[in-house]
Amino acid sequence: MAQEGRTGTLRDGCWIKRVPSAYTPAQIAEYLQYVGLTQYTESNIASGGFSPSFDNLGLLVRLHLLTFLFEHTAMHYTPDHTMDVTAAGVFRQFVHERKGSYCFGNNSLFLQILRGLGYRAYAGSARVNMAPGFSSPPDYTYFSHMFIFVQPFENNQTYIVDVGFGAPGPTRPILLSDAEDNVVFGTTPTERHRLRLGPHPLSSLGVYLPCVPADMMESSVQRTRKDPATPNTWKILFTFPENEFYDVDIQNASYITAMKFGAIPRFQSGIVCTKHLLIRDMAQAPEEHVYTHPNIHDDGTFMYRLVMVDNRVTEQVGTRSTTIRTLESERDRIVAMRELFKIPIEDSAIVYMEGRAPSLG
């Protein structure tokens, strides 16, 4: 039986129903004001004054990325080394304490904001591809990632959004379709995202059964080459089914990620932090930023990233990566997190890093 593709809807054309948010209209308004949409008040939200449109969905994704960090410092710089991803916890951390989180925190917060604004949405789970480079065979984790399915129109057309992958994750909504022309820009035109449908390589089910390809999508990213047709330039970021990822799943997956040594080595043996910033003057950007492709959907807004991995901070603009700070000690890293990423972390937190794998001594 031939493999069926995805044409922009969930399997069997399912609709997502409206689900109440865990947040009050006052909290939704506080979030919107913090990310820059200061025109919205509690009464606006309570009366349905925000339009849950596709354009506003893209705007919300961009504003969230520009406002909040991808980071997991609580895993190493707090006494209990846990990551609070409860609805109350992430709202406090992001909106009141000006901190960030990894995928479970960012996307848990964003899901409840979307629901509070009238979007029909639910959480999805994914296996992250940990293989290095673009040509290595996929090496998938357990369900270690969370993203969101959204239906922003008055029909069952479905998009995925992800504000919690960090670099080089999606920065715009992506239609749930593996059509050749369904390609969106990432931070700049040199970074692109698309979806591809296929079975998990370890699946015990027959490749030709329709339940196999229909249950698993693969999201791929191309970052460094201008020609989308060039072989070996697409890399799978994560692969996912369409099952709903419930709150109990999110809490347990996050606990394993934070507390089980070896679950995600990048988090437990290192420190990763990503901040998105707006490119305001395209004349100062590298030449490849002006590259366009007729099949790429673009809203005209480009970003760059500051990325800290262990003891190095880089500025990533398109295909260019420039080291802007090298960190020699924990004190250096604390200062960099405060100055460059605006994480409110005190020098005294260094004591909680003592003896842990990522420590710079």
Side-chain angles (χ1 to χ4, degrees), residues 94-114:
F94 282 70
V95 181
H96 295 160
E97 298 176 359
R98 306 326 195 212
K99 297 178 181 178
S101 185
Y102 51 14
C103 66
F104 301 113
N106 271 286
N107 282 315
S108 289
L109 174 67
F110 199 61
L111 173 62
Q112 298 305 328
I113 295 297
L114 291 180

Side-chain angles (χ1 to χ4, degrees), residues 44-281:
N44 291 146
I45 302 305
S47 62
F50 184 96
S51 173
S53 65
F54 177 75
D55 287 344
N56 278 339
L57 177 63
L59 175 63
L60 289 168
V61 169
R62 182 166 68 250
L63 291 177
H64 186 103
L65 290 171
L66 290 169
T67 305
F68 300 112
L69 299 173
F70 175 92
E71 57 102 345
H72 61 113
T73 54
M75 191 184 295
H76 297 291
Y77 292 101
T78 60
D80 57 7
H81 303 294
T82 60
M83 299 285 290
D84 186 351
V85 295
T86 62
V90 293
F91 192 88
R92 180 186 67 253
Q93 290 161 202
F94 282 70
V95 181
H96 295 160
E97 298 176 359
R98 306 326 195 212
K99 297 178 181 178
S101 185
Y102 51 14
C103 66
F104 301 113
N106 271 286
N107 282 315
S108 289
L109 174 67
F110 199 61
L111 173 62
Q112 298 305 328
I113 295 297
L114 291 180
R115 286 175 168 174
L117 292 171
Y119 287 97
R120 295 178 292 117
Y122 72 88
S125 61
R127 304 178 190 272
V128 177
N129 177 20
M130 303 298 288
F134 282 78
S135 58
S136 300
D139 178 17
Y140 294 121
T141 65
Y142 59 98
F143 285 119
S144 64
H145 184 57
M146 171 187 173
F147 65 101
I148 303 170
F149 293 96
V150 190
Q151 292 180 343
F153 299 105
E154 289 303 317
N155 56 34
N156 61 349
Q157 191 172 65
T158 308
Y159 289 77
I160 66 166
V161 297
D162 187 353
V163 295
F165 194 87
T171 61
R172 292 166 170 80
I174 307 175
L175 181 67
L176 189 64
S177 167
D178 61 349
E180 287 295 327
D181 63 350
N182 184 39
V183 182
V184 298
F185 281 151
T187 50
T188 71
T190 60
E191 182 178 85
R192 304 183 280 279
H193 298 87
R194 69 181 184 182
L195 297 181
R196 283 297 177 267
L197 188 66
H200 191 285
L202 299 180
S203 175
S204 300
L205 299 176
V207 173
Y208 297 104
L209 293 176
C211 65
V212 180
D215 277 350
M216 192 65 70
M217 294 285 287
E218 295 179 345
S219 178
S220 305
V221 60
Q222 178 179 356
R223 300 183 64 205
T224 59
R225 299 182 185 177
K226 296 180 181 180
D227 182 5
T230 303
N232 299 321
T233 56
W234 289 96
K235 177 182 178 178
I236 297 169
L237 286 182
F238 56 84
T239 184
F240 58 90
E242 296 178 7
N243 308 68
E244 186 165 0
F245 205 42
Y246 300 106
D247 186 63
V248 64
D249 303 317
I250 296 167
Q251 299 302 319
N252 280 280
S254 178
Y255 184 82
I256 292 171
T257 301
M259 303 300 290
K260 186 179 185 297
F261 189 78
I264 304 294
R266 169 44 47 211
F267 290 157
Q268 287 147 348
S269 299
I271 297 290
V272 182
C273 185
T274 301
K275 179 180 178 64
H276 290 82
L277 301 101
L278 199 62
I279 295 178
R280 299 185 182 279
D281 184 1

